[in-house]
Amino acid sequence: MPTLMQYVKRLLDKIDDQAAYAAPFEKRYSNEYVLPFLQKEYAEVYPGLIIASADGRTVDTLINGTLSQLEVPKSGTAGIVVDALGERMMLGGISATDNDAATKKLQAAWEDNDLDVMHHEAHREALIAARSFGSIARETGSGGRAVVGIEHASQAAVIRRQSAPYDVIAYLKTWTDEWTGDGAGLLRLVGKDYTLAESDEMRQDPNGSDVVSRWYVVDEDGTDTGLDFVPVVEFAPHSRLLKEPISEIAPITTQVDTVDLVEGLMVFAGHFGVVPIRWASGIEVPRDPKDPSKPLLGPDGKPAIGFNPRADHTWVSTNKDTKFGQLEPAGLASFVTWAEHASAKVRAKTALASTYFSLDLKSHMSAELLKTDEAPMTRRVRRMGQFGSLNQSWRRLGQYILAIEDPSVKTRIKPIWEDPETRIESQSVDQFQKLTAAGLGIAETAEKVLGWDPETIQRAVAEAEAMRQKIRQEKREDTLSPMERATREFLNVA
């Protein structure tokens, strides 16, 4: 049986490995990564960093070998891919399939812990860093409700059982105290939670192992959780049984960098090839008054010829032999083709819909064509979420919530996944009308087809029933004779 510090050492190593793995993908997702090649080229072509005053005027330029006056283009393609998949992995809560009381508890925990917001964070961080975590604890005090926190892979790690059911048997979360700057942590084992702290000096494991660490257990007795499991789940989009989960950005890193490269080179092409180059001959160059053999130099150190090549400036010369001309500009068509090819490779790897990369508003894509375009992406989202490892993690989180709040309840847990397809309202309404006309229940059809919540369905059904009763009443009154109608009105008034 490992000692507490052996668990801590193993988990700290995993946190370090996870943080190192996620770092380059985090920079690409945040659009902070710059290709070294482009950074060097831009520093040579557009050297220096402009230093401006408070009112925006250029007051100086810092010249060195790495800074550029023009920021290197970054396409943000990695962020587009992650956000596109993440926005389709939406949950509406967690339910118990055969227990209404348990469903109410789960929905209350879902809302109380802001999981309607935080489940997006869990999915996004898992797509970027290959994993994220959900930690559940019992609220201190008399409430006893389940408190859920979503944790990042650079701060948390788990050890799993190596045989079915592959439960988490150890969990570590580390952080830095914002007031003292000291390291702190929480080690969770089956039935126990242990508070950790980080000292300034290395310490030997008091339980006799060979582990030496600055981290130490504050209270060796720990805190009893009253649980026979570690209430932690790992959100990781597994695609292989024996392979570690990978970042969604990992398979497309080369393609993402290629898109950035094309964007960067396109600026050069546009500046030096597409922008018309104007020329002049036979012009008089002002001479330096101190040395007429030399041209007069401008502030930039170049001869002051008196002409600005910008398109909004006119060139005029009093010399009749002066000639002006313009070189034929090149085009960017080849770069556009290259960029589209790189984006197509990203689409092929990620199965994203074309609308995330280019949207031609003149094409007026029909609803059926839109669904066809999205079909590979929606299948992949379902395979990762509703029918994948993420669904397993949310189901287990729901089980842990009930085990903490009401241990006597034994029921099956079902995460409620939203439809990842783009909603076409007219099609949904048409489908609803046809299904209810065929005899299906209004409430069940409204929930499945229209996606309404139970409260809205209940109000709509009650309003529809009241309307039907009013129509039936009016029809019955239309069949009354004038004498019967007058008698009824008289009795109602009386």
Side-chain angles (χ1 to χ4, degrees):
M1 181 71 179
T3 66
L4 295 179
M5 288 310 302
Q6 284 177 320
Y7 274 121
V8 171
K9 177 66 168 58
R10 174 78 177 278
L11 288 166
L12 284 173
D13 290 344
K14 296 189 75 170
I15 290 176
D16 290 342
D17 291 343
Q18 291 170 184
Y21 174 81
F25 306 127
E26 183 67 43
K27 292 187 70 174
R28 284 178 170 84
Y29 172 79
S30 302
N31 210 25
E32 297 172 349
Y33 178 75
V34 179
L35 286 173
F37 168 77
L38 285 180
Q39 188 172 33
K40 180 176 179 295
E41 291 293 309
Y42 270 66
E44 291 180 1
V45 177
Y46 308 108
L49 178 67
I50 295 177
I51 302 174
S53 61
D55 58 1
R57 293 182 295 106
T58 299
V59 295
D60 197 3
T61 303
L62 178 63
I63 304 293
N64 64 24
T66 59
L67 297 176
S68 169
Q69 295 185 29
L70 182 64
E71 184 176 355
V72 179
K74 300 184 288 290
S75 64
T77 303
I80 293 173
V81 171
V82 171
D83 290 343
L85 294 173
E87 72 180 10
R88 304 284 178 139
M89 294 181 185
M90 293 183 59
L91 281 165
I94 305 175
S95 67
T97 57
D98 52 359
N99 191 318
D100 293 339
T103 296
K104 290 182 179 180
K105 286 182 179 292
L106 289 169
Q107 287 299 109
W110 181 267
E111 295 173 2
D112 292 344
N113 288 285
D114 297 323
L115 291 178
D116 52 340
V117 176
M118 295 306 297
H119 83 275
H120 295 291
E121 304 290 335
H123 292 166
R124 180 171 61 247
E125 299 306 330
L127 291 172
I128 297 170
R131 49 170 56 85
S132 61
F133 303 92
S135 178
I136 308 97
R138 182 179 280 110
E139 181 185 36
T140 56
S142 59
R145 71 183 184 94
V147 179
V148 183
I150 302 300
E151 308 295 350
H152 193 270
S154 64
Q155 291 185 319
V158 298
I159 298 175
R160 289 181 173 276
R161 195 184 307 276
Q162 295 302 302
S163 59
Y166 305 103
D167 291 336
V168 172
I169 59 174
Y171 166 80
L172 176 65
K173 163 72 186 296
T174 61
W175 64 93
T176 301
D177 189 290
E178 62 179 310
W179 298 107
T180 65
D182 297 333
L186 175 67
L187 175 66
R188 310 193 73 180
L189 302 178
V190 176
K192 289 279 190 178
D193 286 349
Y194 299 90
T195 301
L196 304 179
E198 188 178 19
S199 65
D200 296 330
E201 57 185 21
M202 304 296 286
R203 299 188 180 196
Q204 188 73 38
D205 184 359
N207 293 314
S209 75
D210 59 354
V211 173
V212 179
S213 174
R214 291 197 304 270
W215 289 88
Y216 64 95
V217 180
V218 176
D219 182 7
E220 289 283 342
D221 294 331
T223 303
D224 290 325
T225 63
L227 304 172
D228 58 356
F229 56 87
V230 179
V232 174
V233 298
E234 180 183 37
F235 301 107
H238 288 274
S239 58
R240 299 287 303 280
L241 186 61
L242 297 180
K243 298 290 186 180
E244 284 290 304
I246 63 173
S247 167
E248 188 63 30
I249 302 173
I252 59 171
T253 300
T254 301
Q255 286 74 26
V256 169
D257 291 350
T258 301
V259 174
D260 287 351
L261 176 62
V262 176
E263 294 286 341
L265 295 180
M266 197 181 298
V267 173
F268 290 154
H271 188 178
F272 298 106
V274 177
V275 176
I277 299 177
R278 305 169 73 182
W279 59 268
S281 65
I283 60 176
E284 295 181 0
V285 178
R287 315 308 293 181
D288 189 339
K290 297 180 180 179
D291 187 357
S293 65
K294 296 180 180 180
L296 179 66
L297 301 181
D300 57 357
K302 298 179 181 180
I305 61 174
F307 296 107
N308 192 318
R310 283 172 41 176
D312 58 348
H313 285 67
T314 301
W315 292 11
V316 179
S317 175
T318 58
N319 187 353
K320 62 183 179 61
D321 295 327
T322 300
K323 295 181 180 180
F324 297 104
Q326 177 175 295
L327 299 180
E328 183 178 353
L332 292 178
S334 59
F335 284 92
V336 173
T337 302
W338 189 9
E340 291 176 348
H341 173 75
S343 298
K345 288 294 184 181
V346 174
R347 283 195 62 204
K349 287 276 190 179
T350 60
L352 256 62
S354 63
T355 50
Y356 284 98
F357 296 96
S358 61
L359 179 60
D360 184 1
L361 297 179
K362 299 187 297 294
S363 63
H364 299 294
M365 183 180 288
S366 66
E368 290 301 324
L369 185 57
L370 177 63
K371 286 185 175 292
T372 302
D373 186 52
E374 291 182 348
M377 180 177 64
T378 55
R379 287 195 296 267
R380 185 161 186 259
V381 167
R382 286 193 175 103
R383 189 169 66 247
M384 298 168 69
Q386 186 175 3
F387 306 122
S389 56
L390 293 177
N391 187 71
Q392 180 187 34
S393 299
W394 286 111
R395 184 165 55 214
R396 188 156 296 185
L397 185 138
Q399 293 169 348
Y400 291 164
I401 289 175
L402 283 182
I404 290 174
E405 295 193 352
D406 194 350
S408 63
V409 173
K410 304 297 180 184
T411 184
R412 293 194 176 278
I413 304 300
K414 182 180 180 181
I416 305 171
W417 291 89
E418 303 288 352
D419 189 353
E421 290 186 356
T422 297
R423 186 178 181 83
I424 309 298
E425 200 67 32
S426 59
Q427 289 186 350
S428 299
V429 172
D430 183 61
Q431 183 182 7
F432 173 79
Q433 291 175 338
K434 290 178 179 178
L435 291 174
T436 52
L440 295 182
I442 294 178
E444 184 72 15
T445 308
E447 179 182 359
K448 299 298 182 183
V449 177
L450 301 180
W452 289 0
D453 59 83
E455 291 78 11
T456 303
I457 293 173
Q458 186 176 4
R459 290 195 301 268
V461 170
E463 185 177 346
E465 182 62 29
M467 182 62 68
R468 281 195 294 267
Q469 290 181 0
K470 181 179 179 181
I471 293 173
R472 286 196 294 267
Q473 179 68 21
E474 290 175 351
K475 287 183 177 179
R476 283 197 299 268
E477 291 179 354
D478 288 342
T479 61
L480 297 176
S481 65
M483 180 62 71
E484 290 173 328
R485 186 177 295 107
T487 302
R488 178 165 297 188
E489 291 176 356
F490 174 77
L491 292 175
N492 287 337
V493 172

